[in-house]
Amino acid sequence: MQKFFILEGGNLVIALFFVLVIVFVTTRPFMPRGSFIKGIAGILVVVAILVGWHYSSTANRMAKVKSAFETDQAVVCESRMQRRAAQSVIIKKSLEWSMDGDNFISPNYNRSFHSARCIVK
């Protein structure tokens, strides 16, 4: 469950914003009766589908990245430290990288990379 909140925390905050907008709009006096229930039901179904799909696709990509890393294939991760050059980092087991949970770490690099933000090259 912790992994879910780490991966989907931002999306859940955005979803909460949309739910609050629906609550605000559907409780106005000019809205017809029943619009609150229909609006909340609709937004919750849409949000649940979208967040579930995003979590599933991210978890599948993470599994592929971990599998590729274990077989010493190249994994590309986004580097947010330098915006001008070297915006991605190539990670391989043979280049002194290792896994600590879902994070790639290296003694030669000063920060770790979460496997959810990486792809197989």
Side-chain angles (χ1 to χ4, degrees):
M1 194 61 148
Q2 179 184 7
K3 184 177 174 181
F4 174 78
F5 287 116
I6 289 171
L7 295 175
E8 298 301 323
N11 292 333
L12 292 174
V13 170
I14 293 169
L16 179 63
F17 173 76
F18 283 117
V19 169
L20 292 175
V21 168
I22 293 294
V23 167
F24 179 77
V25 170
T26 58
T27 56
R28 301 296 96 199
F30 58 83
M31 294 297 291
R33 287 186 162 270
S35 61
F36 176 77
I37 298 297
K38 291 177 187 174
I40 290 296
I43 193 71
L44 290 179
V45 167
V46 169
V47 163
I49 290 171
L50 291 175
V51 168
W53 171 75
H54 187 263
Y55 177 76
S56 175
S57 64
T58 301
N60 289 339
R61 187 178 67 248
M62 285 173 62
K64 289 177 185 175
V65 164
K66 287 181 183 180
S67 168
F69 178 74
E70 292 301 324
T71 59
D72 202 34
Q73 294 178 3
V75 173
V76 180
C77 293
E78 176 188 18
S79 175
R80 294 183 180 177
M81 286 184 64
Q82 299 174 344
R83 288 294 189 190
R84 293 187 186 121
Q87 291 186 355
S88 60
V89 175
I90 304 295
I91 294 175
K92 289 179 82 172
K93 212 174 203 180
S94 61
L95 298 175
E96 298 183 27
W97 285 90
S98 61
M99 292 227 42
D100 180 25
D102 289 329
N103 294 318
F104 293 108
I105 57 174
S106 172
N108 302 325
Y109 209 78
N110 58 355
R111 68 172 289 219
S112 63
F113 294 94
H114 197 281
S115 60
R117 308 295 173 241
C118 303
I119 59 171
V120 179
K121 186 171 182 180

